[in-house]
Amino acid sequence: MAGGSSEGEAAAVPLLEEEDQEQPTAVYFDGCPGCIIDREKAENTGIPYWRFFHIWIINLVVCLPISSIFPFIYFMIRDLHVAKRVEDIGFYAGFIGASLMLGRALTSTIWGMVADRIGRKPVIVFGIFTTLVFNTLFGLSVHYWMAVATRFLLGSLNGLLGTLRAYAVEVSRPEHHAIGLSLISTSWAIGLILGPSIGGYLAQPTEKYPKLFPANSLFGRFPYFLPCLCITVFCLGILFSCVWLQETLHTHKLEKEEDQATKTINGHLAGDEENVEQHITLTMNKNLFQNWPLISSIVLFCIAAFDDMTYMELFPLWAESDRSYGGLSLLSEDVGQVFAITGGCILLYQTFIFPHIVKILGPVSTSRVVAFSSMVLLFTYPSMTHLSGFWLPIVLNVASALKANFVVTLITCSLILQNNSVTQDQRATANGLATTLMSFSKALAPIGGGIVFSWVQKRQHAFFFPGDQMLFFLMDLIMFMALIWTFKPFLSLPEQLSSS
């Protein structure tokens, strides 16, 4: 990059740009990848579409291995002959789903610390590579414990999720943070459409497409390898695309505090993002557990994630249960169609609507609105059992899309609060910590949800909230906790947000 008075200057020499007399001095260090990104953000005030698209498509590497097994995990457990009774298949399937979340929960904070130490790009590349390897091995599993082990390693050796959230903030200007973080949600929405489609149409290909895949072929011996192989090929392409992925971590040594005070170096945005970073450094650059704005936003994030996972677990059980038990008597393909439509709605909402809402209301007010709206919406679900014919799919799809967008909005707002509560040298660690706690909450949600669903099915004639009315009442309590948490003294705002 250009800078200095001669080509022989040391790499650590800062490059200065003189602004107006009233503007602070912008400083960049030659050879520092973080400074290169900062300078590009200062010179280009528009939305970084290419970088956002790259983040979006890399995040599919996280989403597809999770969502693709939904359609075939039941049959995979059956074919592994580990369950002695049909009723036990769900029990063993739960451990495969929980193993990935447990692995991710145990290591996400560590991966965040690694990303803060050596950079975002190495962690992202390694995460894609491990997904490629262990997702392939999962498709080749011939024993139950091999399937559990590969899923656990897939989660524990993958630090993509928290690192990508930090990266999305660092490649964009502050006014574009909402768009960058919402891409994580839209990517999951696409994964919710593509993943089950890949798993549903490509699993057991010798039975579905016998002319293309003979029974004595590789895919006859490994009937669940083809969907995993397709995702592996996708991961390989994304891995090659990382050649164009730029590092964002600053590698130059920070100047001594007294030098900073005398030079008044405030960064490349002339008082915008770098001013914010330096203003909060003294209060944020400490033990993360002592940073209450961060911890309180992570708690909100975990409540929203727990609600999301609980809903994803209970909605199919409720919708597919018999109407005599308060359900809708839907088929599995009907539920899959609802999820596909919901995913498409999330994509449109997060891309075109959410950034404008959060820009007008701010992340806290937006969180309060969607939490309250979600509570009202959940109370309408038990009455859907009285609908039939033309109106049932319309009402169900609208309700499902609204519920999903409400919780995705709450999650994205909490991510905005988190990433504005720390400086760059702690951002990946903070996102890793959030991913760890979120994964624990998502591991607990299916267990608790399954127990509650079995309990409410047995109290159809109770006086207080009989049957599934109790189910949605308890889900309302979760969202009520989220609503309460958005107020003081529970939620503490970062200084730059509270001042604005």
Side-chain angles (χ1 to χ4, degrees):
M1 61 186 290
S5 58
S6 68
E7 297 181 358
E9 285 187 311
V13 175
L15 308 178
L16 302 178
E17 290 185 355
E18 294 299 331
E19 309 270 343
D20 296 336
Q21 294 297 325
E22 298 180 359
Q23 295 288 350
T25 304
V27 61
Y28 308 95
F29 289 82
D30 195 11
C32 172
C35 288
I36 294 175
I37 293 291
D38 287 347
R39 186 167 191 170
E40 291 180 4
K41 289 191 295 183
E43 295 173 350
N44 303 293
T45 59
I47 300 174
Y49 290 105
W50 163 245
R51 287 175 181 157
F52 278 174
F53 174 75
H54 207 180
I55 294 169
W56 180 83
I57 201 168
I58 290 175
N59 197 57
L60 283 176
V61 174
V62 181
C63 306
L64 291 179
I66 296 176
S67 61
S68 63
I69 71 169
F70 291 161
F72 67 76
I73 187 63
Y74 178 92
F75 303 103
M76 186 178 189
I77 297 298
R78 182 199 64 186
D79 293 345
L80 291 174
H81 305 294
V82 66
K84 296 181 180 180
R85 299 180 303 170
V86 174
E87 293 85 350
D88 296 331
I89 290 179
F91 173 80
Y92 289 98
F95 280 100
I96 289 184
S99 60
L100 186 146
M101 288 296 176
L102 178 61
R104 194 167 73 179
L106 293 176
T107 61
S108 290
T109 303
I110 297 174
W111 282 117
M113 296 171 65
V114 172
D116 280 336
R117 178 63 63 89
I118 67 173
R120 295 14 175 164
K121 184 174 180 177
V123 173
I124 292 173
V125 171
F126 185 76
I128 298 173
F129 176 75
T130 56
T131 300
L132 184 153
V133 172
F134 292 107
N135 186 67
T136 303
L137 292 177
F138 175 74
L140 296 172
S141 297
V142 293
H143 298 289
Y144 175 71
W145 292 111
M146 179 180 176
V148 172
T150 52
R151 296 294 284 184
F152 176 80
L153 292 172
L154 179 60
S156 60
L157 296 179
N158 190 328
L160 279 173
L161 191 55
T163 306
L164 281 175
R165 287 171 181 156
Y167 191 83
V169 170
E170 292 165 358
V171 298
S172 59
R173 295 169 62 89
E175 59 267 27
H176 302 140
H177 286 176
I179 300 176
L181 290 172
S182 68
L183 290 173
I184 307 298
S185 301
T186 60
S187 185
W188 170 251
I190 292 298
L192 198 61
I193 299 173
L194 296 180
S197 300
I198 293 172
Y201 285 109
L202 299 183
Q204 300 171 308
T206 57
E207 297 179 12
K208 298 173 181 175
Y209 319 106
K211 294 183 179 181
L212 295 176
F213 303 96
N216 59 353
S217 66
L218 175 69
F219 300 106
R221 184 182 178 187
F222 303 103
Y224 308 102
F225 177 55
L226 183 57
C228 296
L229 178 62
C230 290
I231 295 174
T232 295
V233 172
F234 171 76
C235 291
L236 185 62
I238 299 303
L239 186 62
F240 285 129
S241 76
C242 288
V243 173
W244 294 280
L245 188 70
Q246 292 180 273
E247 180 57 68
T248 60
L249 186 67
H250 289 277
T251 57
H252 61 79
K253 293 183 179 180
L254 297 178
E255 298 183 59
K256 296 181 180 180
E257 290 186 8
E258 57 268 22
D259 293 335
Q260 291 179 341
T262 56
K263 292 184 179 180
T264 321
I265 297 176
N266 292 311
H268 71 279
L269 290 182
D272 193 356
E273 184 177 23
E274 299 299 332
N275 262 340
V276 167
E277 293 259 334
Q278 290 193 7
H279 182 63
I280 63 175
T281 295
L282 294 178
T283 56
M284 301 305 174
N285 194 15
K286 57 184 180 182
N287 190 320
L288 292 179
F289 291 99
Q290 297 176 353
N291 184 344
W292 183 243
L294 172 66
I295 297 301
S296 61
S297 60
I298 289 178
V299 172
L300 179 63
F301 176 54
C302 290
I303 296 173
F306 184 86
D307 176 82
D308 183 36
M309 197 66 180
T310 302
Y311 180 83
M312 293 289 290
E313 172 77 12
L314 294 180
F315 176 80
L317 296 176
W318 167 73
E320 294 171 1
S321 62
D322 193 79
R323 285 182 179 269
S324 61
Y325 289 94
L328 302 178
S329 298
L330 297 183
L331 301 176
S332 58
E333 52 264 37
D334 297 325
V335 175
Q337 185 180 41
V338 171
F339 278 135
I341 294 174
T342 298
C345 292
I346 293 175
L347 174 64
L348 294 175
Y349 168 79
Q350 286 284 300
T351 303
F352 300 107
I353 300 176
F354 170 77
H356 300 288
I357 294 177
V358 78
K359 184 176 181 180
I360 296 172
L361 298 180
V364 177
S365 296
T366 302
S367 299
R368 292 168 182 167
V369 170
V370 297
F372 178 78
S373 300
S374 183
M375 291 175 59
V376 174
L377 179 65
L378 283 171
F379 271 117
T380 67
Y381 272 68
S383 61
M384 293 183 194
T385 190
H386 302 295
L387 298 175
S388 60
F390 175 76
W391 287 105
L392 178 59
I394 294 179
V395 173
L396 186 62
N397 278 289
V398 170
S400 179
L402 288 174
K403 179 67 179 73
N405 280 309
F406 288 156
V407 72
V408 163
T409 299
L410 188 59
I411 288 174
T412 309
C413 287
S414 66
L415 290 176
I416 294 174
L417 294 173
Q418 288 172 38
N419 283 277
N420 280 281
S421 300
V422 290
T423 49
Q424 192 201 43
D425 60 328
Q426 291 185 318
R427 189 167 286 140
T429 304
N431 279 280
L433 175 62
T435 303
T436 293
L437 298 177
M438 176 269 289
S439 298
F440 274 122
S441 67
K442 282 197 170 186
L444 293 175
I447 300 174
I451 294 173
V452 169
F453 185 79
S454 299
W455 172 62
V456 300
Q457 291 283 288
K458 300 173 184 177
R459 55 186 311 277
Q460 294 297 319
H461 304 290
F463 174 75
F464 182 72
F465 288 122
D468 291 337
Q469 292 184 27
M470 175 59 73
L471 182 70
F472 291 102
F473 172 73
L474 293 177
M475 292 179 66
D476 254 328
L477 291 182
I478 299 173
M479 195 52 63
F480 180 70
M481 290 175 56
L483 177 62
I484 294 299
W485 198 266
T486 61
F487 292 92
K488 294 181 178 181
F490 304 108
L491 184 65
S492 179
L493 296 182
E495 288 193 33
Q496 70 271 27
L497 291 181
S498 59
S499 61
S500 61

